[in-house]
Amino acid sequence: MAKKYVGQRIKRNEDPRLLTGQALFVDDVDLPGMLHAAFLRSDYAHARLVSIDVSAARRRPGVVAVYTAEDMGDDWQHGPPLVSPPPTVKDIVFHSRTQVPLVKDKVRLAGEPLAMVIAESRYIAEDALDDIVVELEPLGAVVDLEEALQPDAPLVHDDLDSNLAAHLIQKKGDYAAAREQADVVISRRIVIDRGTAAAMENRGYVAHWNPKSQELTLWDTTQSPIPIRNGLARMFGLSEHQVRVIAPFVGGGFGPKIMMFYPEEVMVTWATLQLGRPVKWIEDRRENFYATNQEREQVHTAELALTRDGHILGLRDDFIHDTGAYDPYGLTVPLNTQCHAFGPYKIPNYYGDLKVVFTNRPIVSPLRGAGRPQGVFIIERLLDVAARELGIDPVEIRRRNLLPPDAFPYDNEIIDQAFVPLVYDSGNYLPVLEKAVEMIGYERFLKEEQPRLRAEGRHVGIGVVSFIETTGIGPYEGARVTVAPSGQINVATGVGTQGQGHFTSFAQIVADQLGVSPHDVHLVTGDTAQFHWGTGTFASRGAVVAANAIHAAAVTVRGKVLKLASKVLDTPEEELELVDGHVRVADIPQRSISLGQLAVLANPLRGAVEPGTEPGLEATAYFGPKYGATASGAHAAIVEVDPETMMVDVKRYVIVEDCGTLLNPLIVEGQLHGGLALGLGNSFYEKLVYDENGQLLNASFADYLLPTALEVPRAEVSHLETPSPLNPLGSKGVGEGGAIPVPAVFAQAVESALADYGLEILEAPLSPNRLFELLQAARVTRDA
Amino acid sequence: MNNLHTITVTVNDTPYERTVEPRLLLSDFLRHDLGLTGTHVGCEHGVCGACTVLFDGEPVRSCLMFAVQANGHKITTVEALGTPDNLHPLQEAFWESHAVQCGFCTPGFLMSLVPFLEQNPDPTEEEIREAISGNLCRCTGYQHIVDAVKLAAKRK
Ligand code: FES
Ligand code: FES
């Protein structure tokens, strides 16, 4: 079937409402009798709760209720583990410790909620927080990852012997033997620091228990409304049909909005069940810095064993991963790191020792990239050091190690985040790298431009990096496609949307099958009353898993349309075509019937239908891939370092991406641009700074710097398409690819710009100050 | 707090008289007292620009002002620009250029850019980037927003 819309740059169906301020976000929900919540949060990162007195707060006019953990009785429970704990394979250690709705005995992170006030307005609720008298006995805080494992470290969870949350060793081949054979072994300590997602919309919840209809409705800024519905129903003893969760327009997700459950989410829901009135809580930005999950901090000791001519013999990557105060998200992030250190390269031998530690800091869960940027940073930094030591060009050393196109499916022989083998389904890596090299003008830059600029006293450098991205993991998504009597096509699916353009790219798929315009396809998503099977939007999976479910449902509906039309038009199905909302006889276009008329005929009010006939032109379908689809890419950058200010100006940025079949290049490019901006933040601007007491020192946008339009360069984007064999559309995900390799490219380019100093960058993010310190240290070494 | 003030504010050409606490933020007044929820709030400390509205024609951050300061003044919000069926030319350019992803930041960008384009009908890329450097967007990387502004300028 010819694809008319899939692959086209189609502007988005959802935009007119967003552009005019008419789109509904959670904070826009306003219900009669609605109350407002505010949370009292701990100022200490680690402390024992001695006493809490809320009596004065309860007496304040306008306050309706004040709750502490004690008030919750048996409803006070730890959150469920969000992803399944690892299978109990030999030698795996995993301690599941999940978050609590309100602190009962011990505070484990600064900002953890101690009490909730419900009042007639948010202003009054916040006033009442000042009326609460709390006594906390501060304890030593666990902040540093390596110190967390020292025998004398304070314990985040008193019932454990240490702060070790998990320990796992993965192996492939025989790394020790490979190391023996190697001509050169590169060993480095590499550190990646914490950042935050900083979606422009903070979290928010509006919960409404209607005691008369016995129904609970929750508007939630979540990326996975269906699991939230199921979990809340279980938690509060309701049937799933009594609970409706709506994730309306969500102002950016990037991972942290997939948590199940945030304390506030549980508390707002619990409060409406007590009070029978709607309760709203909207996070403010300061709270977002303390109470929304974060990511990225790891300390690696990594080693690359190579032959003299730069072929990789083996990789060893031992690292400590910070999970924060609790670990509801299991091993997803660090397993991604392990896997992505394999990159697009042939690495025959591997040894990876992973230790996960509890610290007194916010919970760690996936943030756009989800452990992948760290893995890419490790292998790419080691390759750069190796290239320098061996006197091989950085691009050339990558060429020599890329997997060849006939290697697929390629099994890396370790397990990935879903505990299934890390298999790359397909790819063609060399052309992707060569395209990036060509677009940035690599050879010419090195031969002509860089020496010329250097002679002018300017420090300009280049970086080129290859990477893969595992995307589109299971378990499954589903969708229902319906032809309405009006001729409009309705699609319902479970994944929520946070700006990825699902209303459009999904509509394009359906439009191709049913011969309508994408603008006539009406998608509802993120409302459990419309569709209630599925998991959510994460791991760059919407364009793979949900899209293929929609495709399958649309194919079935197309079959039903043709079957019925064949009868009505008295023409064999093969001679029919679907065009402009009609089914017509190919040679005699005037013999046609509209989809709407067919929908009416398919749902008769009287008369008999053939046995086994289903009413309507509707189908529901599911898609669950065996394993993920592996996208790949190469990024290249030219940067200039100002030796006076240490500011880094990204002069050019090239992205070549292979995400399989492109559904809508316009949307894909938008995803890449946004990813690049975040990646740049993770390279140079965005670092959460904690002091030794676990206090966050830069909890505002004035102090934690998001890249603005002045920092983010224009991206030059090119696509190659190696369709995934694992799904009918051939799509792979792209939600995170823009962000993943940026710190690695940035570091390589900055080193290139400062080549005179022999600078080695073994950390991310940098900052002008940090770069200055590194340069001073390099100068001292060089001049010594 | 019973120190209430009665204020009259003209929002999108409609005069509203309301009695408010002096501490009520202008952003909360617009969103919650008047129900004009197109103006968004991303930080409430003056950095993100999502709450940008026009105050007597000049862009301001409504989270940094109190409603009482708007007494006797004219406020314009995104709701005044266009409707889904009749978009403002800048909105149209945003749509065509895919300058919107989650759309949370969008009203703030539009309200910063409308007066900018009036004063700079033919801006360079540098000037556009400078003009939106007080608005944060976490989704788009700004590139398509810059393209949209160029497109809107070209069409003028
Ligand atoms: S909400 Fe006003 S500037 Fe961010
Ligand atoms: S479009 Fe999401 S923050 Fe700008």
Side-chain angles (χ1 to χ4, degrees):
Chain A
M1 226 203 64
K3 284 188 284 184
K4 191 164 162 203
Y5 294 111
V6 166
Q8 298 299 312
R9 308 174 73 88
I10 289 178
K11 59 184 186 178
R12 307 194 319 172
N13 285 347
E14 53 268 54
D15 287 2
R17 274 190 293 160
L18 289 165
L19 281 162
T20 50
Q22 305 297 323
L24 183 83
F25 290 88
V26 170
D27 191 24
D28 304 341
V29 174
D30 190 10
L31 303 173
M34 190 167 75
L35 298 167
H36 299 264
F39 289 87
L40 180 71
R41 298 177 184 279
S42 171
D43 290 332
Y44 294 105
H46 198 193
R48 214 160 288 291
L49 175 56
V50 179
S51 67
I52 182 161
D53 178 0
V54 298
S55 51
R58 285 194 175 125
R59 286 195 300 270
R60 178 179 282 272
V63 169
V64 174
V66 184
Y67 298 115
T68 66
E70 295 307 325
D71 298 316
M72 295 182 72
D74 291 343
D75 288 338
W76 188 92
Q77 299 164 15
H78 285 263
L82 174 53
V83 295
S84 2
T88 43
V89 290
K90 198 168 130 294
D91 297 334
I92 209 174
V93 174
F94 183 75
H95 301 295
S96 173
R97 294 292 179 279
T98 55
Q99 69 288 352
V100 298
L102 292 175
V103 170
K104 195 175 241 176
D105 48 1
K106 194 169 102 156
V107 170
R108 295 191 178 85
L109 60 115
E112 198 165 13
L114 299 161
M116 172 171 64
V117 174
I118 310 279
E120 297 293 343
S121 84
R122 176 70 175 249
Y123 286 73
I124 297 172
E126 290 191 21
D127 288 343
L129 296 181
D130 290 341
D131 303 337
I132 300 175
V133 184
V134 190
E135 196 188 331
L136 290 168
E137 177 196 323
L139 304 166
V142 182
V143 181
D144 182 89
L145 274 60
E146 287 160 307
E147 281 171 22
L149 290 175
Q150 295 301 313
D152 58 345
L155 290 177
V156 178
H157 295 279
D158 299 336
D159 60 324
L160 295 177
D161 300 337
S162 75
N163 291 312
L164 186 75
H167 186 205
L168 167 73
I169 293 175
Q170 295 221 66
K171 292 181 208 165
K172 172 184 181 184
D174 183 346
Y175 176 76
R179 192 182 199 281
E180 285 296 307
Q181 286 163 22
D183 297 320
V184 43
V185 176
I186 305 294
S187 181
R188 292 293 185 276
R189 180 176 185 272
I190 300 177
V191 179
I192 294 114
D193 232 306
R194 260 192 191 229
T196 185
M200 282 299 112
E201 180 200 35
N202 292 303
R203 289 184 296 125
Y205 312 106
V206 180
H208 183 203
W209 169 248
N210 183 329
K212 289 198 181 125
S213 67
Q214 294 280 297
E215 279 166 347
L216 174 70
T217 308
L218 175 67
W219 286 263
D220 189 327
T221 54
T222 182
Q223 292 172 239
S224 36
I226 296 168
I228 294 286
R229 176 195 78 147
N230 298 347
L232 287 177
R234 212 171 310 136
M235 186 179 294
F236 295 117
L238 299 169
S239 106
E240 291 175 353
H241 296 288
Q242 284 175 285
V243 184
R244 176 180 182 191
V245 175
I246 303 168
F249 280 97
V250 173
F254 312 119
K257 284 182 179 164
I258 207 158
M259 172 74 170
M260 190 171 106
F261 299 94
Y262 277 106
E264 301 87 356
E265 201 171 28
V266 172
M267 290 311 299
V268 165
T269 307
W270 183 78
T272 189
L273 286 166
Q274 309 310 304
L275 301 168
R277 286 174 68 179
V279 178
K280 176 191 254 191
W281 173 76
I282 302 296
E283 184 181 56
D284 68 27
R285 183 55 62 182
R286 189 175 157 74
E287 289 182 295
N288 184 271
F289 274 100
Y290 288 99
T292 289
N293 296 358
Q294 305 168 346
E295 206 215 287
R296 303 252 200 269
E297 191 155 353
Q298 296 176 346
V299 178
H300 291 248
T301 307
E303 225 177 70
L304 196 64
L306 306 101
T307 63
R308 196 165 296 112
D309 57 3
H311 286 107
I312 300 172
L313 296 175
L315 168 70
R316 175 166 180 163
D317 183 15
D318 298 345
F319 68 99
I320 308 176
H321 167 84
D322 171 20
T323 188
Y326 304 96
D327 60 354
Y329 226 104
L331 296 177
T332 302
V333 172
L335 282 177
N336 268 341
T337 303
Q338 284 193 324
C339 291
H340 286 76
F342 280 75
Y345 310 113
K346 187 168 179 180
I347 299 184
N349 301 286
Y350 171 81
Y351 182 94
D353 180 315
L354 161 66
K355 291 194 179 80
V356 180
V357 294
F358 290 116
T359 60
N360 290 117
R361 290 192 291 179
I363 297 173
V364 166
S365 69
L367 191 180
R368 197 174 201 175
R372 297 177 183 87
Q374 296 95 313
V376 172
F377 196 71
I378 296 305
I379 185 67
E380 297 300 316
R381 293 283 63 215
L382 290 176
L383 277 172
D384 288 334
V385 176
R388 227 174 357 250
E389 294 213 356
L390 292 166
I392 303 174
D393 173 85
V395 169
E396 180 55 27
I397 200 168
R398 289 173 169 82
R399 278 190 195 112
R400 290 184 193 173
N401 287 289
L402 289 178
L403 287 165
D406 59 4
F408 302 95
Y410 183 77
D411 188 347
N412 278 298
E413 298 171 38
I414 65 165
I415 53 156
D416 73 4
Q417 56 154 312
F419 311 122
V420 297
L422 174 65
V423 177
Y424 298 168
D425 64 322
S426 60
N428 192 1
Y429 302 145
L430 188 61
V432 174
L433 176 63
E434 297 297 4
K435 181 86 192 162
V437 165
E438 176 205 314
M439 284 171 71
I440 200 89
Y442 187 75
E443 304 297 337
R444 206 173 71 87
F445 176 83
L446 286 185
K447 279 204 194 77
E448 296 166 29
E449 281 168 60
Q450 194 175 36
R452 178 175 56 78
L453 292 163
R454 195 63 209 93
E456 289 172 16
R458 294 171 64 184
H459 298 272
V460 186
I462 195 163
V464 183
V465 154
S466 284
F467 71 102
I468 57 106
E469 178 192 359
T470 61
T471 77
I473 57 167
Y476 76 95
E477 287 300 332
R480 184 179 62 241
V481 173
T482 312
V483 181
S486 63
Q488 176 176 283
I489 314 295
N490 294 318
V491 181
T493 178
V495 302
T497 191
Q498 306 89 40
Q500 297 90 341
H502 293 151
F503 294 91
T504 312
S505 41
F506 292 169
Q508 290 171 247
I509 295 169
V510 176
D512 271 347
Q513 290 303 324
L514 298 181
V516 296
S517 153
H519 301 298
D520 296 327
V521 178
H522 181 78
L523 183 93
V524 278
T525 174
D527 180 350
T528 62
Q530 301 285 340
F531 199 83
H532 62 257
W533 294 103
T535 53
T537 310
F538 55 89
S540 302
R541 62 197 291 280
V544 182
V545 191
N548 277 287
I550 287 169
H551 178 254
V555 167
T556 307
V557 171
R558 178 185 172 85
K560 290 187 179 185
V561 165
L562 285 171
K563 191 167 164 208
L564 182 59
S566 157
K567 221 180 285 168
V568 176
L569 297 174
D570 196 16
T571 310
E573 285 183 35
E574 312 76 68
E575 288 168 30
L576 296 176
E577 56 184 23
L578 277 76
V579 183
D580 294 339
H582 286 74
V583 185
R584 63 186 196 196
V585 181
D587 300 330
I588 325 167
Q590 58 278 30
R591 264 184 64 204
S592 78
I593 181 165
S594 74
L595 290 178
Q597 285 170 295
L598 282 170
V600 174
L601 292 176
N603 187 19
L605 290 176
R606 295 287 184 277
V609 295
E610 282 173 35
T613 310
E614 289 175 15
L617 298 176
E618 177 171 288
T620 301
Y622 298 89
F623 180 77
K626 188 159 100 205
Y627 47 84
T630 308
S632 74
H635 288 204
I638 292 177
V639 308
E640 174 160 15
V641 183
D642 180 334
E644 298 291 318
T645 62
M646 289 294 137
M647 284 306 290
V648 178
D649 180 20
V650 182
K651 307 199 85 70
R652 282 188 63 204
Y653 203 95
V654 164
I655 299 179
V656 183
E657 177 80 23
D658 181 352
C659 58
T661 307
L662 286 173
L663 302 180
N664 183 331
L666 197 58
I667 289 174
V668 168
E669 281 160 25
Q671 287 290 320
L672 294 172
H673 298 163
L676 166 59
L678 173 69
L680 200 60
N682 292 154
S683 305
F684 202 56
Y685 300 98
E686 298 184 33
K687 173 173 163 166
L688 293 167
V689 182
Y690 287 88
D691 72 6
E692 70 279 10
N693 299 315
Q695 290 294 339
L696 181 58
L697 302 180
N698 55 343
S700 84
F701 280 163
D703 303 303
Y704 180 90
L705 302 179
L706 304 190
T708 73
L710 294 175
E711 285 82 39
V712 184
R714 188 162 272 281
E716 303 160 44
V717 177
S718 176
H719 306 285
L720 278 91
E721 296 189 45
T722 309
S724 172
L726 299 179
N727 66 72
L729 288 170
S731 52
K732 303 176 179 182
V734 71
E736 301 169 278
I740 291 169
V742 186
V745 184
F746 189 86
Q748 192 190 115
V750 168
E751 280 180 0
S752 159
L754 299 171
D756 307 359
Y757 299 93
L759 184 69
E760 248 184 37
I761 295 170
L762 300 172
E763 62 193 66
L766 294 168
S767 64
N769 289 347
R770 187 62 190 141
L771 194 53
F772 178 75
E773 288 171 4
L774 292 175
L775 207 60
Q776 290 304 96
R779 272 199 185 115
V780 171
T781 326
R782 187 189 58 171
D783 301 340
Chain B
M1 281 238 185
N2 35 23
N3 178 14
L4 297 176
H5 293 253
T6 298
I7 58 172
T8 306
V9 188
T10 303
V11 183
N12 303 336
D13 294 330
T14 307
Y16 294 91
E17 192 183 287
R18 291 288 188 279
T19 301
V20 301
E21 285 185 39
R23 64 174 174 173
L24 182 69
L25 298 179
L26 178 58
S27 50
D28 283 343
F29 174 74
L30 293 170
R31 290 182 47 77
H32 302 308
D33 290 45
L34 303 187
L36 293 168
T37 54
T39 301
H40 294 158
V41 169
C43 71
E44 282 183 310
H45 54 249
V47 182
C48 76
C51 64
T52 305
V53 298
L54 303 187
F55 186 91
D56 296 334
E58 292 292 323
V60 297
R61 286 158 197 251
S62 60
C63 75
L64 291 187
M65 291 188 71
F66 295 113
V68 289
Q69 293 175 281
N71 188 22
H73 292 274
K74 282 178 66 170
I75 302 291
T76 313
T77 70
V78 69
E79 283 89 348
L81 284 191
T83 60
D85 297 324
N86 184 22
L87 295 175
H88 181 279
L90 183 61
Q91 291 170 319
E92 193 72 51
F94 263 59
W95 191 15
E96 278 173 48
S97 309
H98 182 33
V100 183
Q101 287 189 30
C102 78
F104 195 79
C105 68
T106 310
F109 274 88
L110 293 170
M111 299 318 285
S112 302
L113 283 164
V114 166
F116 168 75
L117 276 175
E118 270 160 23
Q119 283 154 26
N120 305 270
D122 187 20
T124 63
E125 171 141 358
E126 279 302 307
E127 288 166 343
I128 297 170
R129 288 184 178 265
E130 190 71 46
I132 58 173
S133 64
N135 289 77
L136 296 176
C137 173
R138 198 56 156 167
C139 300
T140 64
Y142 309 101
Q143 186 162 330
H144 284 159
I145 297 177
V146 173
D147 293 346
V149 181
K150 286 185 181 167
L151 182 66
K154 198 173 86 195
R155 284 193 182 149
K156 272 212 166 163

